Amino acid sequence: MTTKIKPNWMVLFLFFYLLLTLYFLFFGFGRLNLSRSMNYNLFLEPIPLAFPNGSTFFIWLFNMGNFLAFIPFGVMIPLLFRMTYIKFILLFVLSITIVELLQLFSGLGAFDINDIIINTLGASIGYLSQRIIPKHYKQTSKGMIKMFISAIFISLLTISLVSTFNDYLEREGPYIPLSEAPDLHFNLKLEDHYRLTENIATIEFLNAHYDELRGSATLANIDKLPERIDISFIANEEEIYSISFVSDNYEAEDTTFQLPIAGINELDIRVTDETGKSIPSVILLEDMELSEMNMGQNILYDFNKRIASILDYLIFERYVSVD
Protein backbone atom coordinates (compact mmCIF):
# COMPACT_ATOMS: atom_id res chain seq x y z
CA MET A 1 0.00 0.00 0.00
CA THR A 2 1.32 3.41 -0.95
CA THR A 3 0.77 6.50 1.18
CA LYS A 4 -0.28 9.68 -0.59
CA ILE A 5 1.63 12.75 0.56
CA LYS A 6 -0.56 15.79 1.13
CA PRO A 7 0.43 18.95 -0.78
CA ASN A 8 0.38 20.94 2.47
CA TRP A 9 3.19 18.78 3.84
CA MET A 10 5.16 19.22 0.64
CA VAL A 11 4.76 23.01 0.82
CA LEU A 12 5.88 22.97 4.44
CA PHE A 13 8.93 20.85 3.59
CA LEU A 14 9.83 23.14 0.67
CA PHE A 15 9.48 26.24 2.86
CA PHE A 16 11.79 24.97 5.62
CA TYR A 17 14.25 23.54 3.08
CA LEU A 18 14.38 26.95 1.40
CA LEU A 19 15.11 28.64 4.75
CA LEU A 20 17.87 26.10 5.47
CA THR A 21 19.41 26.67 2.03
CA LEU A 22 19.32 30.46 2.43
CA TYR A 23 20.95 30.11 5.85
CA PHE A 24 23.92 28.23 4.38
CA LEU A 25 24.14 30.64 1.41
CA PHE A 26 24.29 33.76 3.60
CA PHE A 27 25.41 32.72 7.08
CA GLY A 28 26.96 29.25 6.87
CA PHE A 29 30.67 28.40 6.57
CA GLY A 30 31.62 31.37 8.80
CA ARG A 31 30.45 34.00 6.30
CA LEU A 32 29.68 36.51 9.07
CA ASN A 33 33.37 36.50 10.06
CA LEU A 34 34.60 37.24 6.54
CA SER A 35 35.43 40.74 5.31
CA ARG A 36 32.35 42.36 3.76
CA SER A 37 33.93 43.08 0.39
CA MET A 38 32.13 42.79 -2.94
CA ASN A 39 33.54 39.83 -4.85
CA TYR A 40 32.43 38.53 -8.21
CA ASN A 41 33.53 36.18 -10.96
CA LEU A 42 32.04 36.39 -14.45
CA PHE A 43 34.53 34.08 -16.14
CA LEU A 44 33.52 30.54 -17.07
CA GLU A 45 35.57 27.70 -15.62
CA PRO A 46 35.30 23.91 -15.82
CA ILE A 47 32.34 22.79 -13.69
CA PRO A 48 33.88 21.68 -10.35
CA LEU A 49 32.11 18.32 -10.23
CA ALA A 50 34.16 15.18 -9.71
CA PHE A 51 34.42 12.11 -7.56
CA PRO A 52 36.95 12.51 -4.71
CA ASN A 53 40.24 12.90 -6.56
CA GLY A 54 42.82 14.20 -4.11
CA SER A 55 41.41 17.69 -3.63
CA THR A 56 40.83 18.80 -0.05
CA PHE A 57 37.68 17.33 1.43
CA PHE A 58 36.20 20.74 2.30
CA ILE A 59 36.53 22.04 -1.28
CA TRP A 60 35.06 18.81 -2.67
CA LEU A 61 32.19 18.90 -0.16
CA PHE A 62 31.46 22.56 -0.90
CA ASN A 63 31.30 21.95 -4.66
CA MET A 64 29.12 18.87 -4.26
CA GLY A 65 26.84 20.78 -1.90
CA ASN A 66 26.40 23.49 -4.52
CA PHE A 67 25.18 20.76 -6.84
CA LEU A 68 23.20 18.35 -4.64
CA ALA A 69 21.48 20.95 -2.47
CA PHE A 70 19.41 22.24 -5.39
CA ILE A 71 18.11 18.89 -6.61
CA PRO A 72 15.09 19.01 -4.19
CA PHE A 73 13.95 22.31 -5.74
CA GLY A 74 13.80 20.61 -9.13
CA VAL A 75 11.66 17.87 -7.62
CA MET A 76 9.28 19.81 -5.36
CA ILE A 77 8.50 23.01 -7.27
CA PRO A 78 7.26 21.32 -10.50
CA LEU A 79 5.23 18.83 -8.41
CA LEU A 80 3.47 21.60 -6.54
CA PHE A 81 2.99 24.14 -9.31
CA ARG A 82 2.84 22.02 -12.50
CA MET A 83 5.18 23.76 -14.90
CA THR A 84 7.22 22.89 -17.96
CA TYR A 85 10.99 22.60 -17.81
CA ILE A 86 11.52 25.88 -19.70
CA LYS A 87 9.25 27.80 -17.34
CA PHE A 88 10.80 26.15 -14.28
CA ILE A 89 14.41 26.69 -15.33
CA LEU A 90 13.83 30.34 -16.27
CA LEU A 91 12.23 30.94 -12.87
CA PHE A 92 15.05 29.10 -11.12
CA VAL A 93 17.87 30.93 -12.95
CA LEU A 94 16.20 34.28 -12.21
CA SER A 95 15.82 33.38 -8.52
CA ILE A 96 19.36 32.08 -8.06
CA THR A 97 20.77 35.10 -9.89
CA ILE A 98 18.94 37.39 -7.43
CA VAL A 99 20.39 35.36 -4.55
CA GLU A 100 23.90 35.68 -6.02
CA LEU A 101 23.41 39.46 -6.37
CA LEU A 102 22.27 39.70 -2.74
CA GLN A 103 25.40 37.80 -1.71
CA LEU A 104 27.49 40.26 -3.73
CA PHE A 105 25.96 43.46 -2.35
CA SER A 106 25.69 42.20 1.23
CA GLY A 107 29.30 41.01 1.28
CA LEU A 108 28.08 37.64 2.63
CA GLY A 109 29.31 35.78 -0.42
CA ALA A 110 30.34 36.32 -4.00
CA PHE A 111 28.55 36.53 -7.32
CA ASP A 112 29.90 33.63 -9.35
CA ILE A 113 28.51 32.63 -12.74
CA ASN A 114 29.89 29.13 -12.20
CA ASP A 115 27.78 28.75 -9.05
CA ILE A 116 24.68 29.63 -11.07
CA ILE A 117 25.57 26.94 -13.62
CA ILE A 118 26.19 24.20 -11.06
CA ASN A 119 23.05 25.15 -9.07
CA THR A 120 20.98 25.04 -12.27
CA LEU A 121 22.48 21.67 -13.17
CA GLY A 122 21.35 20.29 -9.81
CA ALA A 123 17.83 21.70 -10.21
CA SER A 124 17.62 20.24 -13.72
CA ILE A 125 18.49 16.77 -12.41
CA GLY A 126 15.75 17.12 -9.80
CA TYR A 127 13.24 18.05 -12.50
CA LEU A 128 14.26 15.09 -14.66
CA SER A 129 14.10 12.65 -11.75
CA GLN A 130 10.43 13.51 -11.08
CA ARG A 131 9.45 13.61 -14.74
CA ILE A 132 10.43 9.99 -15.36
CA ILE A 133 8.11 8.79 -12.57
CA PRO A 134 4.53 7.92 -13.62
CA LYS A 135 2.03 10.65 -12.77
CA HIS A 136 -0.09 8.58 -10.36
CA TYR A 137 3.02 7.75 -8.28
CA LYS A 138 4.50 11.22 -7.97
CA GLN A 139 2.87 12.38 -4.73
CA THR A 140 3.16 9.06 -2.93
CA SER A 141 5.81 7.75 -0.56
CA LYS A 142 6.69 5.04 -3.06
CA GLY A 143 7.02 7.62 -5.83
CA MET A 144 9.27 9.80 -3.66
CA ILE A 145 11.57 6.86 -3.01
CA LYS A 146 11.79 6.21 -6.75
CA MET A 147 12.55 9.89 -7.36
CA PHE A 148 15.32 9.73 -4.75
CA ILE A 149 16.87 6.66 -6.39
CA SER A 150 16.53 8.25 -9.86
CA ALA A 151 18.20 11.45 -8.62
CA ILE A 152 21.15 9.44 -7.25
CA PHE A 153 21.58 7.53 -10.51
CA ILE A 154 21.31 10.65 -12.73
CA SER A 155 23.66 12.57 -10.42
CA LEU A 156 26.35 9.88 -10.65
CA LEU A 157 25.96 9.81 -14.44
CA THR A 158 26.18 13.62 -14.61
CA ILE A 159 29.30 13.75 -12.43
CA SER A 160 30.95 11.15 -14.69
CA LEU A 161 30.08 13.11 -17.85
CA VAL A 162 31.22 16.43 -16.35
CA SER A 163 34.50 14.88 -15.17
CA THR A 164 35.13 13.54 -18.68
CA PHE A 165 34.40 16.95 -20.19
CA ASN A 166 36.68 18.65 -17.65
CA ASP A 167 39.50 16.28 -18.63
CA TYR A 168 38.95 17.33 -22.24
CA LEU A 169 39.15 21.03 -21.26
CA GLU A 170 42.38 20.46 -19.33
CA ARG A 171 44.06 18.26 -21.94
CA GLU A 172 47.45 19.40 -23.20
CA GLY A 173 48.48 19.66 -26.81
CA PRO A 174 48.93 18.93 -29.52
CA TYR A 175 52.35 20.58 -29.50
CA ILE A 176 53.93 22.02 -32.63
CA PRO A 177 57.49 23.35 -33.03
CA LEU A 178 57.80 27.11 -32.82
CA SER A 179 59.39 27.14 -36.27
CA GLU A 180 56.27 25.52 -37.79
CA ALA A 181 53.69 27.89 -36.32
CA PRO A 182 52.33 29.90 -39.27
CA ASP A 183 50.72 32.68 -37.26
CA LEU A 184 53.48 34.22 -35.17
CA HIS A 185 56.49 36.47 -35.59
CA PHE A 186 59.78 35.82 -33.80
CA ASN A 187 62.66 38.28 -34.07
CA LEU A 188 65.23 35.46 -34.03
CA LYS A 189 65.94 33.10 -36.92
CA LEU A 190 63.50 30.20 -36.73
CA GLU A 191 65.65 27.13 -36.19
CA ASP A 192 65.82 24.37 -33.59
CA HIS A 193 68.27 26.42 -31.51
CA TYR A 194 67.90 30.12 -30.79
CA ARG A 195 70.86 32.11 -29.49
CA LEU A 196 69.62 35.32 -27.92
CA THR A 197 71.63 38.03 -29.68
CA GLU A 198 69.22 40.89 -28.97
CA ASN A 199 68.48 42.69 -25.71
CA ILE A 200 64.93 41.35 -25.90
CA ALA A 201 63.69 38.42 -27.97
CA THR A 202 60.00 38.87 -28.81
CA ILE A 203 57.41 36.32 -29.87
CA GLU A 204 54.39 38.04 -31.37
CA PHE A 205 51.34 35.79 -31.53
CA LEU A 206 49.14 36.75 -34.48
CA ASN A 207 46.69 34.06 -33.32
CA ALA A 208 46.28 34.03 -29.56
CA HIS A 209 44.77 30.55 -29.40
CA TYR A 210 47.82 28.86 -27.92
CA ASP A 211 47.77 27.46 -24.42
CA GLU A 212 51.40 26.81 -23.42
CA LEU A 213 54.98 27.37 -24.50
CA ARG A 214 57.60 24.84 -23.53
CA GLY A 215 61.26 24.26 -24.27
CA SER A 216 64.66 24.25 -22.59
CA ALA A 217 67.34 26.81 -21.87
CA THR A 218 71.07 26.14 -21.73
CA LEU A 219 74.20 28.24 -21.40
CA ALA A 220 76.22 29.00 -24.51
CA ASN A 221 79.92 28.17 -24.57
CA ILE A 222 81.36 31.46 -23.28
CA ASP A 223 84.51 31.81 -21.18
CA LYS A 224 83.49 34.52 -18.73
CA LEU A 225 80.05 34.19 -17.15
CA PRO A 226 78.52 36.33 -14.37
CA GLU A 227 77.68 35.02 -10.93
CA ARG A 228 74.00 34.67 -11.81
CA ILE A 229 72.00 34.64 -15.03
CA ASP A 230 68.26 35.25 -15.06
CA ILE A 231 65.89 34.51 -17.94
CA SER A 232 62.60 36.42 -17.70
CA PHE A 233 59.46 35.80 -19.74
CA ILE A 234 57.46 39.03 -19.81
CA ALA A 235 53.88 39.67 -20.99
CA ASN A 236 52.08 43.01 -20.69
CA GLU A 237 55.15 44.40 -18.89
CA GLU A 238 54.82 41.77 -16.16
CA GLU A 239 57.11 38.82 -15.52
CA ILE A 240 55.09 35.60 -15.78
CA TYR A 241 57.94 33.08 -15.56
CA SER A 242 61.66 33.10 -14.80
CA ILE A 243 64.70 30.80 -14.79
CA SER A 244 67.90 31.41 -12.84
CA PHE A 245 71.39 29.97 -13.34
CA VAL A 246 73.96 30.47 -10.60
CA SER A 247 77.66 29.74 -10.80
CA ASP A 248 77.32 26.57 -8.69
CA ASN A 249 75.14 24.79 -11.29
CA TYR A 250 76.56 26.11 -14.56
CA GLU A 251 77.57 22.59 -15.46
CA ALA A 252 74.03 21.24 -14.99
CA GLU A 253 71.95 19.88 -17.84
CA ASP A 254 69.43 21.94 -19.76
CA THR A 255 66.71 23.61 -17.70
CA THR A 256 63.24 22.91 -19.09
CA PHE A 257 60.38 25.37 -18.86
CA GLN A 258 56.64 25.28 -19.47
CA LEU A 259 54.56 28.42 -19.12
CA PRO A 260 50.91 29.34 -19.81
CA ILE A 261 50.43 31.80 -22.66
CA ALA A 262 46.63 31.74 -23.18
CA GLY A 263 45.48 35.25 -24.09
CA ILE A 264 49.02 36.58 -24.55
CA ASN A 265 49.61 38.46 -27.79
CA GLU A 266 53.27 39.27 -27.25
CA LEU A 267 55.92 37.57 -25.13
CA ASP A 268 59.33 39.12 -24.40
CA ILE A 269 62.32 37.02 -23.35
CA ARG A 270 65.06 38.93 -21.53
CA VAL A 271 68.40 37.68 -20.12
CA THR A 272 70.18 39.65 -17.39
CA ASP A 273 73.00 39.19 -14.89
CA GLU A 274 72.79 39.71 -11.13
CA THR A 275 72.94 43.49 -11.58
CA GLY A 276 70.08 43.57 -14.07
CA LYS A 277 72.33 44.24 -17.06
CA SER A 278 71.28 42.57 -20.33
CA ILE A 279 73.57 39.73 -21.46
CA PRO A 280 71.61 38.07 -24.28
CA SER A 281 74.36 36.10 -26.04
CA VAL A 282 74.96 33.60 -23.21
CA ILE A 283 71.68 31.68 -23.58
CA LEU A 284 70.46 29.11 -26.08
CA LEU A 285 66.76 28.25 -26.31
CA GLU A 286 66.04 24.74 -27.62
CA ASP A 287 63.06 22.51 -28.44
CA MET A 288 60.63 25.43 -28.37
CA GLU A 289 57.06 24.16 -28.86
CA LEU A 290 53.56 25.62 -28.66
CA SER A 291 50.49 23.83 -27.35
CA GLU A 292 47.35 24.49 -29.40
CA MET A 293 43.93 24.82 -27.73
CA ASN A 294 41.25 22.28 -28.54
CA MET A 295 37.72 23.32 -29.54
CA GLY A 296 36.40 23.38 -25.97
CA GLN A 297 39.33 25.46 -24.73
CA ASN A 298 38.84 27.85 -27.65
CA ILE A 299 35.15 28.34 -26.86
CA LEU A 300 35.89 28.92 -23.17
CA TYR A 301 38.72 31.30 -24.00
CA ASP A 302 36.63 33.32 -26.50
CA PHE A 303 33.74 33.68 -24.03
CA ASN A 304 36.01 34.84 -21.21
CA LYS A 305 37.80 37.21 -23.57
CA ARG A 306 34.49 38.85 -24.47
CA ILE A 307 33.57 39.16 -20.79
CA ALA A 308 36.97 40.73 -20.06
CA SER A 309 36.46 43.23 -22.91
CA ILE A 310 33.03 44.21 -21.55
CA LEU A 311 34.41 44.63 -18.02
CA ASP A 312 37.34 46.70 -19.28
CA TYR A 313 34.93 48.93 -21.22
CA LEU A 314 32.60 49.40 -18.25
CA ILE A 315 35.46 50.14 -15.86
CA PHE A 316 37.04 52.56 -18.34
CA GLU A 317 33.73 54.35 -18.91
CA ARG A 318 33.17 54.65 -15.16
CA TYR A 319 36.70 55.95 -14.66
CA VAL A 320 36.30 58.55 -17.40
CA SER A 321 32.89 59.69 -16.13
CA VAL A 322 34.23 60.01 -12.58
CA ASP A 323 37.14 62.11 -13.83
Side-chain angles (χ1 to χ4, degrees), residues 146-211:
K146 287 185 176 181
M147 289 181 203
F148 179 74
I149 295 173
S150 298
I152 292 176
F153 175 78
I154 299 171
S155 296
L156 292 174
L157 179 62
T158 301
I159 293 171
S160 298
L161 292 174
V162 169
S163 297
T164 300
F165 184 67
N166 286 344
D167 290 340
Y168 167 71
L169 288 178
E170 296 170 359
R171 188 180 303 162
E172 291 184 356
Y175 282 90
I176 60 173
L178 190 68
S179 58
E180 296 179 9
D183 47 6
L184 62 80
H185 177 264
F186 192 17
N187 67 341
L188 295 180
K189 187 177 180 182
L190 294 180
E191 297 175 348
D192 292 335
H193 305 281
Y194 309 94
R195 179 191 286 268
L196 274 72
T197 58
E198 307 288 340
N199 289 335
I200 300 178
T202 300
I203 305 176
E204 183 180 354
F205 299 95
L206 306 179
N207 177 356
H209 289 193
Y210 291 107
D211 189 41

Side-chain angles (χ1 to χ4, degrees), residues 92-314:
F92 180 84
V93 170
L94 176 62
S95 301
I96 201 65
T97 300
I98 292 174
V99 170
E100 290 283 320
L101 288 171
L102 290 175
Q103 285 184 309
L104 170 67
F105 292 119
S106 66
L108 294 172
F111 182 94
D112 193 332
I113 190 174
N114 299 286
D115 284 348
I116 295 176
I117 292 173
I118 196 172
N119 298 159
T120 304
L121 191 58
S124 297
I125 287 173
Y127 186 93
L128 178 60
S129 67
Q130 60 86 24
R131 285 290 291 177
I132 62 179
I133 302 300
K135 186 176 181 179
H136 59 280
Y137 271 126
K138 287 188 177 181
Q139 294 188 9
T140 65
S141 57
K142 188 175 181 179
M144 286 295 178
I145 293 173
K146 287 185 176 181
M147 289 181 203
F148 179 74
I149 295 173
S150 298
I152 292 176
F153 175 78
I154 299 171
S155 296
L156 292 174
L157 179 62
T158 301
I159 293 171
S160 298
L161 292 174
V162 169
S163 297
T164 300
F165 184 67
N166 286 344
D167 290 340
Y168 167 71
L169 288 178
E170 296 170 359
R171 188 180 303 162
E172 291 184 356
Y175 282 90
I176 60 173
L178 190 68
S179 58
E180 296 179 9
D183 47 6
L184 62 80
H185 177 264
F186 192 17
N187 67 341
L188 295 180
K189 187 177 180 182
L190 294 180
E191 297 175 348
D192 292 335
H193 305 281
Y194 309 94
R195 179 191 286 268
L196 274 72
T197 58
E198 307 288 340
N199 289 335
I200 300 178
T202 300
I203 305 176
E204 183 180 354
F205 299 95
L206 306 179
N207 177 356
H209 289 193
Y210 291 107
D211 189 41
E212 288 182 336
L213 171 69
R214 71 181 183 185
S216 62
T218 187
L219 296 177
N221 187 15
I222 296 179
D223 293 335
K224 294 183 179 180
L225 293 172
E227 290 295 319
R228 193 184 77 225
I229 300 171
D230 297 318
I231 309 173
S232 301
F233 296 84
I234 303 166
N236 300 320
E237 300 181 357
E238 181 179 348
E239 183 179 87
I240 61 172
Y241 193 87
S242 64
I243 303 171
S244 293
F245 293 92
V246 293
S247 56
D248 292 339
N249 70 349
Y250 276 169
E251 300 300 324
E253 296 181 355
D254 298 350
T255 299
T256 58
F257 58 86
Q258 186 170 354
L259 62 147
I261 56 171
I264 293 176
N265 296 315
E266 188 172 286
L267 181 69
D268 292 334
I269 307 172
R270 181 177 299 170
V271 183
T272 58
D273 62 14
E274 68 276 6
T275 66
K277 180 182 177 182
S278 294
I279 47 171
S281 61
V282 301
I283 292 294
L284 290 174
L285 299 176
E286 302 175 298
D287 303 320
M288 299 271 278
E289 294 180 315
L290 293 167
S291 170
E292 295 182 293
M293 294 185 185
N294 58 40
M295 182 181 295
Q297 292 167 339
N298 270 320
I299 293 173
L300 202 64
Y301 168 77
D302 287 336
F303 177 86
N304 289 335
K305 184 178 180 180
R306 291 178 185 275
I307 293 297
S309 299
I310 293 172
L311 291 176
D312 288 343
Y313 173 78
L314 293 176

